[in-house]
Short mmCIF file of all heavy atoms in Angstrom, two decimals:
data_model
loop_
_atom_site.label_atom_id
_atom_site.label_comp_id
_atom_site.label_asym_id
_atom_site.label_seq_id
_atom_site.Cartn_x
_atom_site.Cartn_y
_atom_site.Cartn_z
N VAL P 1481 8.42 8.02 -10.95
CA VAL P 1481 8.89 7.30 -9.72
C VAL P 1481 10.27 7.88 -9.38
O VAL P 1481 11.20 7.79 -10.18
CB VAL P 1481 8.94 5.79 -9.89
CG1 VAL P 1481 9.49 5.13 -8.66
CG2 VAL P 1481 7.63 5.21 -10.32
N LEU P 1482 10.36 8.50 -8.24
CA LEU P 1482 11.64 9.10 -7.81
C LEU P 1482 12.26 8.26 -6.66
O LEU P 1482 11.61 7.92 -5.70
CB LEU P 1482 11.43 10.55 -7.31
CG LEU P 1482 10.79 11.52 -8.28
CD1 LEU P 1482 10.76 12.94 -7.65
CD2 LEU P 1482 11.53 11.54 -9.58
N SER P 1490 14.33 -0.57 -1.53
CA SER P 1490 13.65 0.42 -2.39
C SER P 1490 13.95 0.24 -3.86
O SER P 1490 13.08 0.40 -4.70
CB SER P 1490 14.08 1.86 -1.95
OG SER P 1490 13.59 2.16 -0.72
N TYR P 1493 11.63 -2.40 -5.07
CA TYR P 1493 10.25 -1.91 -5.12
C TYR P 1493 10.04 -1.03 -6.39
O TYR P 1493 9.07 -1.22 -7.11
CB TYR P 1493 9.89 -1.08 -3.87
CG TYR P 1493 9.82 -1.88 -2.57
CD1 TYR P 1493 10.03 -1.29 -1.36
CD2 TYR P 1493 9.50 -3.24 -2.61
CE1 TYR P 1493 9.98 -1.99 -0.18
CE2 TYR P 1493 9.42 -3.94 -1.42
CZ TYR P 1493 9.68 -3.34 -0.23
OH TYR P 1493 9.65 -4.03 0.96
N VAL P 1494 10.98 -0.11 -6.64
CA VAL P 1494 10.79 0.81 -7.76
C VAL P 1494 10.88 0.04 -9.08
O VAL P 1494 10.14 0.30 -10.05
CB VAL P 1494 11.71 2.03 -7.80
CG1 VAL P 1494 11.45 2.89 -6.56
CG2 VAL P 1494 13.13 1.67 -7.91
N LYS P 1497 7.56 -1.48 -9.67
CA LYS P 1497 6.53 -0.48 -10.03
C LYS P 1497 6.67 -0.13 -11.49
O LYS P 1497 5.63 0.08 -12.16
CB LYS P 1497 6.68 0.74 -9.11
CG LYS P 1497 6.22 0.47 -7.69
CD LYS P 1497 6.59 1.56 -6.66
CE LYS P 1497 6.19 1.11 -5.24
NZ LYS P 1497 6.53 2.12 -4.21
N ILE P 1538 2.87 10.96 -9.34
CA ILE P 1538 4.20 11.17 -8.84
C ILE P 1538 4.39 10.39 -7.58
O ILE P 1538 3.57 10.52 -6.61
CB ILE P 1538 4.51 12.67 -8.55
CG1 ILE P 1538 4.27 13.54 -9.79
CG2 ILE P 1538 5.92 12.83 -7.98
CD1 ILE P 1538 4.33 15.00 -9.50
N LEU P 1539 5.43 9.53 -7.54
CA LEU P 1539 5.65 8.74 -6.35
C LEU P 1539 7.13 8.91 -5.93
O LEU P 1539 8.06 8.74 -6.76
CB LEU P 1539 5.39 7.26 -6.72
CG LEU P 1539 5.59 6.20 -5.61
CD1 LEU P 1539 4.65 5.03 -5.86
CD2 LEU P 1539 7.04 5.71 -5.51
N VAL P 1540 7.33 9.32 -4.72
CA VAL P 1540 8.68 9.45 -4.18
C VAL P 1540 8.86 8.21 -3.24
O VAL P 1540 8.15 8.06 -2.22
CB VAL P 1540 8.92 10.70 -3.38
CG1 VAL P 1540 10.34 10.76 -2.80
CG2 VAL P 1540 8.64 11.91 -4.29
N GLN P 1541 9.78 7.31 -3.61
CA GLN P 1541 9.94 6.13 -2.78
C GLN P 1541 10.49 6.45 -1.38
O GLN P 1541 11.39 7.23 -1.27
CB GLN P 1541 10.91 5.11 -3.51
CG GLN P 1541 11.02 3.77 -2.82
CD GLN P 1541 9.70 2.99 -2.85
OE1 GLN P 1541 8.87 3.08 -3.72
NE2 GLN P 1541 9.49 2.20 -1.80
N LEU P 1542 9.90 5.86 -0.39
CA LEU P 1542 10.32 6.04 0.98
C LEU P 1542 11.04 4.81 1.45
O LEU P 1542 10.78 3.71 0.91
CB LEU P 1542 9.09 6.31 1.90
CG LEU P 1542 8.22 7.51 1.52
CD1 LEU P 1542 7.03 7.62 2.45
CD2 LEU P 1542 9.01 8.80 1.51
N PRO P 1543 11.99 4.82 2.39
CA PRO P 1543 12.39 6.02 3.14
C PRO P 1543 13.34 6.91 2.30
O PRO P 1543 14.01 6.45 1.42
CB PRO P 1543 13.15 5.41 4.32
CG PRO P 1543 13.70 4.11 3.77
CD PRO P 1543 12.66 3.60 2.79
N ILE P 1554 6.45 15.03 0.53
CA ILE P 1554 5.15 14.51 0.17
C ILE P 1554 4.20 15.70 -0.06
O ILE P 1554 3.38 15.67 -0.98
CB ILE P 1554 4.64 13.63 1.35
CG1 ILE P 1554 5.41 12.29 1.31
CG2 ILE P 1554 3.13 13.36 1.16
CD1 ILE P 1554 5.26 11.47 2.61
N VAL P 1563 -0.37 9.73 -6.09
CA VAL P 1563 -0.93 8.41 -6.26
C VAL P 1563 -0.59 7.45 -5.04
O VAL P 1563 -1.19 6.37 -4.95
CB VAL P 1563 -0.52 7.72 -7.60
CG1 VAL P 1563 -1.26 8.42 -8.71
CG2 VAL P 1563 0.95 7.83 -7.82
N ASP P 1564 0.25 7.90 -4.18
CA ASP P 1564 0.54 7.14 -2.93
C ASP P 1564 -0.54 7.47 -1.89
O ASP P 1564 -0.69 6.71 -0.91
CB ASP P 1564 1.88 7.53 -2.33
CG ASP P 1564 2.97 6.47 -2.65
OD1 ASP P 1564 2.63 5.30 -2.76
OD2 ASP P 1564 4.15 6.90 -2.72
N PHE P 1566 -0.44 9.96 0.23
CA PHE P 1566 0.19 10.33 1.47
C PHE P 1566 0.03 11.83 1.83
O PHE P 1566 0.33 12.20 2.95
CB PHE P 1566 1.68 9.99 1.41
CG PHE P 1566 1.97 8.52 1.35
CD1 PHE P 1566 3.28 8.08 1.01
CD2 PHE P 1566 1.05 7.56 1.69
CE1 PHE P 1566 3.62 6.74 0.94
CE2 PHE P 1566 1.39 6.21 1.60
CZ PHE P 1566 2.68 5.80 1.22
N PRO P 1583 -4.06 5.34 0.14
CA PRO P 1583 -2.73 4.68 0.22
C PRO P 1583 -2.88 3.19 -0.27
O PRO P 1583 -3.82 2.48 0.10
CB PRO P 1583 -2.34 4.73 1.67
CG PRO P 1583 -2.99 6.00 2.16
CD PRO P 1583 -4.35 6.02 1.43
N CYS P 1584 -1.90 2.81 -1.13
CA CYS P 1584 -2.05 1.57 -1.91
C CYS P 1584 -2.12 0.30 -0.99
O CYS P 1584 -2.90 -0.65 -1.33
CB CYS P 1584 -0.84 1.42 -2.84
SG CYS P 1584 -0.74 2.82 -3.97
N THR P 1585 -1.38 0.24 0.09
CA THR P 1585 -1.35 -0.97 0.89
C THR P 1585 -2.69 -1.23 1.59
O THR P 1585 -3.30 -2.29 1.41
CB THR P 1585 -0.19 -0.98 1.90
OG1 THR P 1585 1.02 -0.94 1.15
CG2 THR P 1585 -0.19 -2.23 2.76
N PRO P 1586 -3.20 -0.27 2.35
CA PRO P 1586 -4.55 -0.52 2.98
C PRO P 1586 -5.64 -0.65 1.93
O PRO P 1586 -6.60 -1.45 2.12
CB PRO P 1586 -4.74 0.69 3.93
CG PRO P 1586 -3.77 1.72 3.46
CD PRO P 1586 -2.63 0.97 2.88
N ILE P 1613 1.48 5.31 6.55
CA ILE P 1613 1.43 4.61 5.28
C ILE P 1613 0.35 3.47 5.34
O ILE P 1613 -0.30 3.18 4.34
CB ILE P 1613 2.80 4.02 4.91
CG1 ILE P 1613 3.77 5.18 4.61
CG2 ILE P 1613 2.73 3.08 3.73
CD1 ILE P 1613 5.16 4.73 4.18
N VAL P 1614 0.30 2.78 6.49
CA VAL P 1614 -0.60 1.62 6.56
C VAL P 1614 -1.60 1.71 7.74
O VAL P 1614 -2.82 1.77 7.50
CB VAL P 1614 0.18 0.28 6.67
CG1 VAL P 1614 -0.81 -0.90 6.67
CG2 VAL P 1614 1.21 0.15 5.56
N THR P 1710 -0.70 -4.29 -3.23
CA THR P 1710 -0.18 -2.93 -3.06
C THR P 1710 0.26 -2.37 -4.41
O THR P 1710 -0.08 -1.27 -4.87
CB THR P 1710 1.03 -2.91 -2.08
OG1 THR P 1710 0.52 -3.23 -0.80
CG2 THR P 1710 1.63 -1.48 -2.00
N LEU P 1714 -1.49 0.80 -6.94
CA LEU P 1714 -0.75 1.97 -7.43
C LEU P 1714 -1.13 2.19 -8.92
O LEU P 1714 -1.32 3.34 -9.38
CB LEU P 1714 0.77 1.76 -7.37
CG LEU P 1714 1.62 2.87 -8.03
CD1 LEU P 1714 1.47 4.19 -7.30
CD2 LEU P 1714 3.10 2.44 -7.99
N1 LIG L 1398 7.97 2.65 1.09
C1 LIG L 1398 7.32 1.59 1.61
N2 LIG L 1398 6.08 1.51 1.19
C2 LIG L 1398 5.90 2.57 0.34
C3 LIG L 1398 4.85 3.03 -0.48
O1 LIG L 1398 3.75 2.51 -0.50
N3 LIG L 1398 5.10 4.15 -1.21
C4 LIG L 1398 6.31 4.77 -1.23
N4 LIG L 1398 6.44 5.79 -1.95
N5 LIG L 1398 7.31 4.35 -0.49
C5 LIG L 1398 7.12 3.25 0.26
#
Side-chain angles (χ1 to χ4, degrees):
V1481 179
L1482 303 184
S1490 291
Y1493 294 153
V1494 300
K1497 288 168 184 180
I1538 302 170
L1539 180 151
V1540 179
Q1541 187 64 32
L1542 303 178
I1554 288 164
V1563 287
D1564 259 330
F1566 295 164
C1584 302
T1585 299
I1613 293 181
V1614 184
T1710 294
L1714 174 65

